[in-house]
Amino acid sequence: MQLAGSSRLLRVLNDAAAFGHLLDRGPLTRGELRELTGLAKPTTSDVLRRLRDAGLVTVVGRTSGGPGPNAEVYAVNPDAGWAVAVAARPSAITAALCDLSGTVRARRESTPAAEPARAIAETVQAVCRQARVPLRRLDHVRIGWSGPDLTEPLAGRLRAEVVVDNPANLAATAERATGTTGFALLWLGEDGPALSVALDGSAPRGSGDIGRLPVPDEHGDRREFRDLVSGPAAHALAIEALAERIAVGLAAIVAVLDPPLVVLAGDVAAAGGAPLAGAVTAALHRLAARHTRVTATGVSGDPVLLGAVDAALAAVRATVLDRIGGQR
């Protein structure tokens, strides 16, 4: 029994290793896969046979022009896993359906006309219909949403794994994908300010509680941070005035966390761009002893949606790898 169990475990590990290389590197020949895994030629052939039988890998072509016989080229079957990423805001919901390869196969935008759980579920259903992917094949849904927790009602409507995360965390996930490391991300959006911290290579974590931070306004009156830096009033302010308000809240954050870098993201930050980041840097240096660098996000596009795509894709790939282990 122990021998059988060890043999089964070895097959699972070999299959997962080969599948992981195909996910990370794209199409590979049998020989290239054998070099990457260090497996023997017969073992590599067995691994590819099992992955093909499971519908996880397909032959996508053959090599040509080189010495020796042409070799089959293998790739992950993109239809073997599906995920939907959602950026949900009070004024708009955007959903993107991606396959296992990471290709976005459909995108849908809608204006909420119902309560949030129903509006998000209907948008997810619509993007699946657009790509002609049955909802039952959906493996994972990752949602950027700053309101009340919608995990349970959405999981019930969609019959898939659902994770609801703070928009700031997903924006920080997208920021890390650009190569930025060791930072705190301040989200300045229509849904209020939020903070996510990604230090020492850790996964971005944070919450929307930063909006409740008590800070003085320009008149010295005590206000909540969200009242000063979000909504139409924030958009109407001159950059210098808005920067002063942002810096007051950031001073408290910097004093506690001491991040080497603060990234500004969200629609308020996007409207101000680099000039706002520069003005915040100057205002923060006047208020805080530490001269922390402040910059505008380097993400092009919707950072919440892009971060949700990254997180959803990682989750669905993990699910598929779990299936490899469970089906033997």
Side-chain angles (χ1 to χ4, degrees):
M1 294 295 293
Q2 184 177 7
L3 179 61
S6 299
S7 177
R8 175 181 180 276
L9 176 60
L10 187 58
R11 287 198 302 271
V12 169
L13 293 175
N14 289 342
D15 292 357
F19 189 69
H21 283 302
L22 288 167
L23 279 173
D24 293 339
R25 296 174 178 265
L28 297 168
T29 64
R30 190 188 314 258
E32 290 169 337
L33 196 57
R34 186 172 65 249
E35 290 180 5
L36 288 169
T37 59
L39 298 174
K41 184 181 294 187
T43 305
T44 304
S45 296
D46 289 341
V47 167
L48 287 170
R49 176 184 52 78
R50 288 193 295 267
L51 292 175
R52 290 184 67 183
D53 290 346
L56 299 178
V57 167
T58 61
V59 176
V60 294
R62 299 183 70 90
T63 61
S64 61
N70 295 343
E72 290 182 329
V73 179
Y74 298 86
V76 168
N77 175 11
D79 295 346
W82 298 93
V84 171
V86 180
R89 302 181 176 92
S91 62
I93 298 172
T94 305
L97 174 72
C98 62
D99 60 29
L100 192 59
S101 73
T103 300
V104 174
R105 303 278 282 267
R107 179 178 170 130
R108 186 87 172 190
E109 296 184 10
S110 65
T111 301
E115 51 89 16
R118 179 181 172 185
I120 293 171
E122 289 176 348
T123 305
V124 171
Q125 292 162 353
V127 80
C128 288
R129 285 195 303 270
Q130 183 177 329
R132 298 183 179 178
V133 175
L135 194 64
R136 66 178 181 276
R137 296 189 61 190
L138 195 58
D139 296 289
H140 184 88
V141 181
R142 184 63 58 107
I143 301 166
W145 166 252
S146 61
D149 186 17
L150 302 177
T151 305
E152 187 173 340
L154 282 170
R157 289 175 182 268
L158 298 174
R159 306 297 182 186
E161 181 183 41
V162 174
V163 176
V164 180
D165 207 345
N166 190 276
N169 290 332
L170 296 176
T173 298
E175 191 70 36
R176 286 210 310 175
T178 69
T180 304
T181 58
F183 62 94
L185 183 140
L186 180 62
W187 176 260
L188 300 167
E190 63 177 281
D191 41 5
L195 178 71
S196 184
V197 181
L199 301 176
D200 302 324
S202 59
R205 294 309 327 152
S207 72
D209 293 340
I210 191 67
R212 298 180 180 274
L213 180 71
V215 294
D217 63 14
E218 54 267 30
H219 305 295
D221 296 327
R222 181 172 171 172
R223 304 278 297 278
E224 287 191 344
F225 188 41
R226 60 186 175 186
D227 294 333
L228 298 181
V229 297
S230 58
H235 283 283
L237 289 171
I239 283 182
E240 289 75 12
L242 178 59
E244 291 287 345
R245 292 185 174 190
I246 294 171
V248 171
L250 268 184
I253 296 169
V254 167
V256 174
L257 299 178
D258 192 21
L261 172 69
V262 172
V263 176
L264 303 181
D267 61 310
V268 173
L276 176 62
V280 171
T281 299
L284 180 62
H285 291 177
R286 290 193 294 270
L287 292 172
R290 298 182 181 91
H291 281 198
T292 304
R293 186 163 63 97
V294 181
T295 185
T297 179
V299 176
S300 177
D302 185 339
V304 176
L305 187 66
L306 293 173
V309 167
D310 287 346
L313 185 59
V316 76
R317 287 178 171 179
T319 297
V320 172
L321 287 171
D322 286 343
R323 289 179 194 157
I324 292 176
Q327 66 190 6
R328 305 287 176 234

PDB file of all heavy atoms in Angstrom, residues 34-63:
ATOM      1  N   ARG A  34      11.093  17.667 -21.155  1.00  0.00           N
ATOM      2  CA  ARG A  34      11.936  16.699 -20.462  1.00  0.00           C
ATOM      3  C   ARG A  34      13.153  17.399 -19.838  1.00  0.00           C
ATOM      4  O   ARG A  34      13.542  17.102 -18.701  1.00  0.00           O
ATOM      5  CB  ARG A  34      12.400  15.626 -21.454  1.00  0.00           C
ATOM      6  CG  ARG A  34      13.161  14.485 -20.793  1.00  0.00           C
ATOM      7  CD  ARG A  34      13.428  13.359 -21.762  1.00  0.00           C
ATOM      8  NE  ARG A  34      14.330  13.756 -22.842  1.00  0.00           N
ATOM      9  CZ  ARG A  34      13.976  13.900 -24.110  1.00  0.00           C
ATOM     10  NH1 ARG A  34      12.706  13.707 -24.473  1.00  0.00           N
ATOM     11  NH2 ARG A  34      14.859  14.253 -25.029  1.00  0.00           N
ATOM     12  N   GLU A  35      13.740  18.353 -20.549  1.00  0.00           N
ATOM     13  CA  GLU A  35      14.882  19.086 -20.008  1.00  0.00           C
ATOM     14  C   GLU A  35      14.485  19.927 -18.802  1.00  0.00           C
ATOM     15  O   GLU A  35      15.237  20.024 -17.821  1.00  0.00           O
ATOM     16  CB  GLU A  35      15.476  19.990 -21.090  1.00  0.00           C
ATOM     17  CG  GLU A  35      16.184  19.236 -22.207  1.00  0.00           C
ATOM     18  CD  GLU A  35      16.757  20.179 -23.240  1.00  0.00           C
ATOM     19  OE1 GLU A  35      16.687  21.411 -23.021  1.00  0.00           O
ATOM     20  OE2 GLU A  35      17.279  19.696 -24.268  1.00  0.00           O
ATOM     21  N   LEU A  36      13.308  20.535 -18.845  1.00  0.00           N
ATOM     22  CA  LEU A  36      12.866  21.389 -17.742  1.00  0.00           C
ATOM     23  C   LEU A  36      12.523  20.583 -16.490  1.00  0.00           C
ATOM     24  O   LEU A  36      12.786  21.024 -15.364  1.00  0.00           O
ATOM     25  CB  LEU A  36      11.640  22.206 -18.179  1.00  0.00           C
ATOM     26  CG  LEU A  36      11.901  23.330 -19.183  1.00  0.00           C
ATOM     27  CD1 LEU A  36      10.589  23.859 -19.728  1.00  0.00           C
ATOM     28  CD2 LEU A  36      12.687  24.459 -18.521  1.00  0.00           C
ATOM     29  N   THR A  37      11.938  19.414 -16.673  1.00  0.00           N
ATOM     30  CA  THR A  37      11.510  18.613 -15.519  1.00  0.00           C
ATOM     31  C   THR A  37      12.580  17.653 -15.031  1.00  0.00           C
ATOM     32  O   THR A  37      12.538  17.216 -13.876  1.00  0.00           O
ATOM     33  CB  THR A  37      10.254  17.794 -15.871  1.00  0.00           C
ATOM     34  OG1 THR A  37      10.556  16.935 -16.986  1.00  0.00           O
ATOM     35  CG2 THR A  37       9.090  18.710 -16.220  1.00  0.00           C
ATOM     36  N   GLY A  38      13.523  17.304 -15.916  1.00  0.00           N
ATOM     37  CA  GLY A  38      14.523  16.316 -15.547  1.00  0.00           C
ATOM     38  C   GLY A  38      14.009  14.893 -15.549  1.00  0.00           C
ATOM     39  O   GLY A  38      14.668  13.983 -15.031  1.00  0.00           O
ATOM     40  N   LEU A  39      12.847  14.670 -16.156  1.00  0.00           N
ATOM     41  CA  LEU A  39      12.254  13.338 -16.198  1.00  0.00           C
ATOM     42  C   LEU A  39      12.837  12.521 -17.348  1.00  0.00           C
ATOM     43  O   LEU A  39      13.319  13.071 -18.338  1.00  0.00           O
ATOM     44  CB  LEU A  39      10.734  13.449 -16.368  1.00  0.00           C
ATOM     45  CG  LEU A  39       9.967  14.164 -15.265  1.00  0.00           C
ATOM     46  CD1 LEU A  39       8.503  14.314 -15.649  1.00  0.00           C
ATOM     47  CD2 LEU A  39      10.094  13.431 -13.930  1.00  0.00           C
ATOM     48  N   ALA A  40      12.759  11.225 -17.196  1.00  0.00           N
ATOM     49  CA  ALA A  40      13.200  10.337 -18.266  1.00  0.00           C
ATOM     50  C   ALA A  40      12.236  10.433 -19.445  1.00  0.00           C
ATOM     51  O   ALA A  40      11.079  10.845 -19.302  1.00  0.00           O
ATOM     52  CB  ALA A  40      13.271   8.903 -17.751  1.00  0.00           C
ATOM     53  N   LYS A  41      12.718  10.018 -20.631  1.00  0.00           N
ATOM     54  CA  LYS A  41      11.899  10.106 -21.839  1.00  0.00           C
ATOM     55  C   LYS A  41      10.580   9.341 -21.704  1.00  0.00           C
ATOM     56  O   LYS A  41       9.512   9.902 -22.003  1.00  0.00           O
ATOM     57  CB  LYS A  41      12.688   9.602 -23.049  1.00  0.00           C
ATOM     58  CG  LYS A  41      11.935   9.740 -24.372  1.00  0.00           C
ATOM     59  CD  LYS A  41      12.750   9.201 -25.534  1.00  0.00           C
ATOM     60  CE  LYS A  41      13.987  10.040 -25.773  1.00  0.00           C
ATOM     61  NZ  LYS A  41      14.685   9.613 -27.022  1.00  0.00           N
ATOM     62  N   PRO A  42      10.573   8.074 -21.225  1.00  0.00           N
ATOM     63  CA  PRO A  42       9.295   7.359 -21.085  1.00  0.00           C
ATOM     64  C   PRO A  42       8.358   8.028 -20.073  1.00  0.00           C
ATOM     65  O   PRO A  42       7.142   8.060 -20.281  1.00  0.00           O
ATOM     66  CB  PRO A  42       9.710   5.961 -20.630  1.00  0.00           C
ATOM     67  CG  PRO A  42      11.139   5.829 -21.018  1.00  0.00           C
ATOM     68  CD  PRO A  42      11.716   7.191 -20.900  1.00  0.00           C
ATOM     69  N   THR A  43       8.939   8.549 -18.993  1.00  0.00           N
ATOM     70  CA  THR A  43       8.116   9.209 -17.970  1.00  0.00           C
ATOM     71  C   THR A  43       7.469  10.467 -18.523  1.00  0.00           C
ATOM     72  O   THR A  43       6.294  10.751 -18.273  1.00  0.00           O
ATOM     73  CB  THR A  43       8.971   9.554 -16.736  1.00  0.00           C
ATOM     74  OG1 THR A  43       9.609   8.377 -16.254  1.00  0.00           O
ATOM     75  CG2 THR A  43       8.102  10.144 -15.638  1.00  0.00           C
ATOM     76  N   THR A  44       8.234  11.232 -19.299  1.00  0.00           N
ATOM     77  CA  THR A  44       7.684  12.449 -19.916  1.00  0.00           C
ATOM     78  C   THR A  44       6.536  12.099 -20.854  1.00  0.00           C
ATOM     79  O   THR A  44       5.500  12.789 -20.885  1.00  0.00           O
ATOM     80  CB  THR A  44       8.776  13.198 -20.689  1.00  0.00           C
ATOM     81  OG1 THR A  44       9.873  13.484 -19.819  1.00  0.00           O
ATOM     82  CG2 THR A  44       8.234  14.513 -21.247  1.00  0.00           C
ATOM     83  N   SER A  45       6.706  11.010 -21.611  1.00  0.00           N
ATOM     84  CA  SER A  45       5.639  10.585 -22.518  1.00  0.00           C
ATOM     85  C   SER A  45       4.393  10.198 -21.733  1.00  0.00           C
ATOM     86  O   SER A  45       3.268  10.534 -22.124  1.00  0.00           O
ATOM     87  CB  SER A  45       6.120   9.396 -23.360  1.00  0.00           C
ATOM     88  OG  SER A  45       7.193   9.784 -24.195  1.00  0.00           O
ATOM     89  N   ASP A  46       4.578   9.487 -20.607  1.00  0.00           N
ATOM     90  CA  ASP A  46       3.432   9.099 -19.777  1.00  0.00           C
ATOM     91  C   ASP A  46       2.729  10.320 -19.202  1.00  0.00           C
ATOM     92  O   ASP A  46       1.496  10.381 -19.146  1.00  0.00           O
ATOM     93  CB  ASP A  46       3.893   8.182 -18.640  1.00  0.00           C
ATOM     94  CG  ASP A  46       4.299   6.807 -19.128  1.00  0.00           C
ATOM     95  OD1 ASP A  46       3.903   6.445 -20.251  1.00  0.00           O
ATOM     96  OD2 ASP A  46       5.015   6.104 -18.388  1.00  0.00           O
ATOM     97  N   VAL A  47       3.508  11.306 -18.750  1.00  0.00           N
ATOM     98  CA  VAL A  47       2.931  12.528 -18.193  1.00  0.00           C
ATOM     99  C   VAL A  47       2.075  13.240 -19.235  1.00  0.00           C
ATOM    100  O   VAL A  47       0.926  13.638 -18.972  1.00  0.00           O
ATOM    101  CB  VAL A  47       4.043  13.465 -17.679  1.00  0.00           C
ATOM    102  CG1 VAL A  47       3.484  14.863 -17.407  1.00  0.00           C
ATOM    103  CG2 VAL A  47       4.679  12.910 -16.408  1.00  0.00           C
ATOM    104  N   LEU A  48       2.610  13.409 -20.432  1.00  0.00           N
ATOM    105  CA  LEU A  48       1.861  14.104 -21.481  1.00  0.00           C
ATOM    106  C   LEU A  48       0.614  13.327 -21.888  1.00  0.00           C
ATOM    107  O   LEU A  48      -0.426  13.921 -22.175  1.00  0.00           O
ATOM    108  CB  LEU A  48       2.763  14.337 -22.690  1.00  0.00           C
ATOM    109  CG  LEU A  48       3.824  15.424 -22.500  1.00  0.00           C
ATOM    110  CD1 LEU A  48       4.816  15.419 -23.647  1.00  0.00           C
ATOM    111  CD2 LEU A  48       3.166  16.800 -22.368  1.00  0.00           C
ATOM    112  N   ARG A  49       0.712  12.013 -21.896  1.00  0.00           N
ATOM    113  CA  ARG A  49      -0.471  11.206 -22.220  1.00  0.00           C
ATOM    114  C   ARG A  49      -1.567  11.419 -21.186  1.00  0.00           C
ATOM    115  O   ARG A  49      -2.743  11.600 -21.540  1.00  0.00           O
ATOM    116  CB  ARG A  49      -0.099   9.723 -22.288  1.00  0.00           C
ATOM    117  CG  ARG A  49      -1.300   8.794 -22.524  1.00  0.00           C
ATOM    118  CD  ARG A  49      -0.888   7.348 -22.492  1.00  0.00           C
ATOM    119  NE  ARG A  49      -0.128   7.011 -21.297  1.00  0.00           N
ATOM    120  CZ  ARG A  49      -0.691   6.811 -20.099  1.00  0.00           C
ATOM    121  NH1 ARG A  49      -2.002   6.941 -19.945  1.00  0.00           N
ATOM    122  NH2 ARG A  49       0.061   6.491 -19.074  1.00  0.00           N
ATOM    123  N   ARG A  50      -1.192  11.417 -19.903  1.00  0.00           N
ATOM    124  CA  ARG A  50      -2.197  11.602 -18.845  1.00  0.00           C
ATOM    125  C   ARG A  50      -2.819  13.003 -18.921  1.00  0.00           C
ATOM    126  O   ARG A  50      -4.032  13.159 -18.756  1.00  0.00           O
ATOM    127  CB  ARG A  50      -1.572  11.371 -17.470  1.00  0.00           C
ATOM    128  CG  ARG A  50      -1.248   9.914 -17.172  1.00  0.00           C
ATOM    129  CD  ARG A  50      -0.940   9.711 -15.702  1.00  0.00           C
ATOM    130  NE  ARG A  50       0.266  10.404 -15.277  1.00  0.00           N
ATOM    131  CZ  ARG A  50       1.477   9.866 -15.256  1.00  0.00           C
ATOM    132  NH1 ARG A  50       1.662   8.621 -15.688  1.00  0.00           N
ATOM    133  NH2 ARG A  50       2.520  10.565 -14.821  1.00  0.00           N
ATOM    134  N   LEU A  51      -1.989  14.015 -19.149  1.00  0.00           N
ATOM    135  CA  LEU A  51      -2.505  15.382 -19.234  1.00  0.00           C
ATOM    136  C   LEU A  51      -3.409  15.569 -20.450  1.00  0.00           C
ATOM    137  O   LEU A  51      -4.420  16.280 -20.383  1.00  0.00           O
ATOM    138  CB  LEU A  51      -1.348  16.381 -19.276  1.00  0.00           C
ATOM    139  CG  LEU A  51      -0.520  16.511 -17.989  1.00  0.00           C
ATOM    140  CD1 LEU A  51       0.662  17.446 -18.205  1.00  0.00           C
ATOM    141  CD2 LEU A  51      -1.382  17.007 -16.832  1.00  0.00           C
ATOM    142  N   ARG A  52      -3.077  14.902 -21.570  1.00  0.00           N
ATOM    143  CA  ARG A  52      -3.937  14.972 -22.749  1.00  0.00           C
ATOM    144  C   ARG A  52      -5.247  14.237 -22.504  1.00  0.00           C
ATOM    145  O   ARG A  52      -6.326  14.732 -22.871  1.00  0.00           O
ATOM    146  CB  ARG A  52      -3.223  14.388 -23.964  1.00  0.00           C
ATOM    147  CG  ARG A  52      -2.078  15.233 -24.482  1.00  0.00           C
ATOM    148  CD  ARG A  52      -1.473  14.640 -25.748  1.00  0.00           C
ATOM    149  NE  ARG A  52      -2.420  14.694 -26.858  1.00  0.00           N
ATOM    150  CZ  ARG A  52      -2.180  14.198 -28.067  1.00  0.00           C
ATOM    151  NH1 ARG A  52      -1.019  13.585 -28.309  1.00  0.00           N
ATOM    152  NH2 ARG A  52      -3.070  14.301 -29.030  1.00  0.00           N
ATOM    153  N   ASP A  53      -5.186  13.069 -21.870  1.00  0.00           N
ATOM    154  CA  ASP A  53      -6.397  12.312 -21.580  1.00  0.00           C
ATOM    155  C   ASP A  53      -7.329  13.091 -20.648  1.00  0.00           C
ATOM    156  O   ASP A  53      -8.558  12.952 -20.735  1.00  0.00           O
ATOM    157  CB  ASP A  53      -6.050  10.956 -20.951  1.00  0.00           C
ATOM    158  CG  ASP A  53      -5.403   9.994 -21.944  1.00  0.00           C
ATOM    159  OD1 ASP A  53      -5.464  10.279 -23.154  1.00  0.00           O
ATOM    160  OD2 ASP A  53      -4.823   8.980 -21.496  1.00  0.00           O
ATOM    161  N   ALA A  54      -6.736  13.901 -19.763  1.00  0.00           N
ATOM    162  CA  ALA A  54      -7.534  14.698 -18.824  1.00  0.00           C
ATOM    163  C   ALA A  54      -8.063  15.978 -19.457  1.00  0.00           C
ATOM    164  O   ALA A  54      -8.806  16.734 -18.808  1.00  0.00           O
ATOM    165  CB  ALA A  54      -6.698  15.046 -17.591  1.00  0.00           C
ATOM    166  N   GLY A  55      -7.683  16.239 -20.713  1.00  0.00           N
ATOM    167  CA  GLY A  55      -8.160  17.440 -21.393  1.00  0.00           C
ATOM    168  C   GLY A  55      -7.448  18.710 -20.978  1.00  0.00           C
ATOM    169  O   GLY A  55      -7.918  19.814 -21.259  1.00  0.00           O
ATOM    170  N   LEU A  56      -6.283  18.580 -20.341  1.00  0.00           N
ATOM    171  CA  LEU A  56      -5.558  19.745 -19.849  1.00  0.00           C
ATOM    172  C   LEU A  56      -4.495  20.234 -20.824  1.00  0.00           C
ATOM    173  O   LEU A  56      -4.068  21.386 -20.756  1.00  0.00           O
ATOM    174  CB  LEU A  56      -4.898  19.425 -18.503  1.00  0.00           C
ATOM    175  CG  LEU A  56      -5.849  19.030 -17.374  1.00  0.00           C
ATOM    176  CD1 LEU A  56      -5.067  18.689 -16.117  1.00  0.00           C
ATOM    177  CD2 LEU A  56      -6.838  20.159 -17.094  1.00  0.00           C
ATOM    178  N   VAL A  57      -4.047  19.361 -21.717  1.00  0.00           N
ATOM    179  CA  VAL A  57      -2.979  19.694 -22.658  1.00  0.00           C
ATOM    180  C   VAL A  57      -3.388  19.236 -24.055  1.00  0.00           C
ATOM    181  O   VAL A  57      -4.038  18.192 -24.205  1.00  0.00           O
ATOM    182  CB  VAL A  57      -1.656  19.023 -22.226  1.00  0.00           C
ATOM    183  CG1 VAL A  57      -0.612  19.092 -23.330  1.00  0.00           C
ATOM    184  CG2 VAL A  57      -1.120  19.698 -20.963  1.00  0.00           C
ATOM    185  N   THR A  58      -3.017  20.006 -25.051  1.00  0.00           N
ATOM    186  CA  THR A  58      -3.302  19.653 -26.443  1.00  0.00           C
ATOM    187  C   THR A  58      -2.043  19.806 -27.282  1.00  0.00           C
ATOM    188  O   THR A  58      -1.102  20.517 -26.907  1.00  0.00           O
ATOM    189  CB  THR A  58      -4.403  20.543 -27.041  1.00  0.00           C
ATOM    190  OG1 THR A  58      -3.954  21.915 -27.007  1.00  0.00           O
ATOM    191  CG2 THR A  58      -5.698  20.426 -26.262  1.00  0.00           C
ATOM    192  N   VAL A  59      -2.038  19.139 -28.429  1.00  0.00           N
ATOM    193  CA  VAL A  59      -0.968  19.327 -29.413  1.00  0.00           C
ATOM    194  C   VAL A  59      -1.355  20.501 -30.298  1.00  0.00           C
ATOM    195  O   VAL A  59      -2.436  20.512 -30.899  1.00  0.00           O
ATOM    196  CB  VAL A  59      -0.761  18.057 -30.262  1.00  0.00           C
ATOM    197  CG1 VAL A  59       0.285  18.304 -31.343  1.00  0.00           C
ATOM    198  CG2 VAL A  59      -0.349  16.887 -29.380  1.00  0.00           C
ATOM    199  N   VAL A  60      -0.474  21.490 -30.376  1.00  0.00           N
ATOM    200  CA  VAL A  60      -0.809  22.712 -31.112  1.00  0.00           C
ATOM    201  C   VAL A  60       0.021  22.878 -32.378  1.00  0.00           C
ATOM    202  O   VAL A  60      -0.144  23.866 -33.101  1.00  0.00           O
ATOM    203  CB  VAL A  60      -0.645  23.957 -30.219  1.00  0.00           C
ATOM    204  CG1 VAL A  60      -1.650  23.937 -29.086  1.00  0.00           C
ATOM    205  CG2 VAL A  60       0.778  24.058 -29.678  1.00  0.00           C
ATOM    206  N   GLY A  61       0.931  21.929 -32.657  1.00  0.00           N
ATOM    207  CA  GLY A  61       1.715  22.036 -33.881  1.00  0.00           C
ATOM    208  C   GLY A  61       2.899  21.089 -33.852  1.00  0.00           C
ATOM    209  O   GLY A  61       3.014  20.233 -32.977  1.00  0.00           O
ATOM    210  N   ARG A  62       3.772  21.268 -34.829  1.00  0.00           N
ATOM    211  CA  ARG A  62       4.989  20.464 -34.912  1.00  0.00           C
ATOM    212  C   ARG A  62       6.148  21.371 -35.292  1.00  0.00           C
ATOM    213  O   ARG A  62       5.969  22.361 -36.018  1.00  0.00           O
ATOM    214  CB  ARG A  62       4.843  19.350 -35.950  1.00  0.00           C
ATOM    215  CG  ARG A  62       3.729  18.367 -35.670  1.00  0.00           C
ATOM    216  CD  ARG A  62       3.704  17.265 -36.714  1.00  0.00           C
ATOM    217  NE  ARG A  62       4.852  16.366 -36.572  1.00  0.00           N
ATOM    218  CZ  ARG A  62       4.828  15.274 -35.817  1.00  0.00           C
ATOM    219  NH1 ARG A  62       3.741  14.944 -35.125  1.00  0.00           N
ATOM    220  NH2 ARG A  62       5.897  14.489 -35.751  1.00  0.00           N
ATOM    221  N   THR A  63       7.315  21.032 -34.784  1.00  0.00           N
ATOM    222  CA  THR A  63       8.504  21.782 -35.173  1.00  0.00           C
ATOM    223  C   THR A  63       8.872  21.438 -36.611  1.00  0.00           C
ATOM    224  O   THR A  63       8.500  20.378 -37.122  1.00  0.00           O
ATOM    225  CB  THR A  63       9.691  21.443 -34.262  1.00  0.00           C
ATOM    226  OG1 THR A  63       9.981  20.049 -34.371  1.00  0.00           O
ATOM    227  CG2 THR A  63       9.382  21.806 -32.825  1.00  0.00           C
TER     228      THR A  63
END
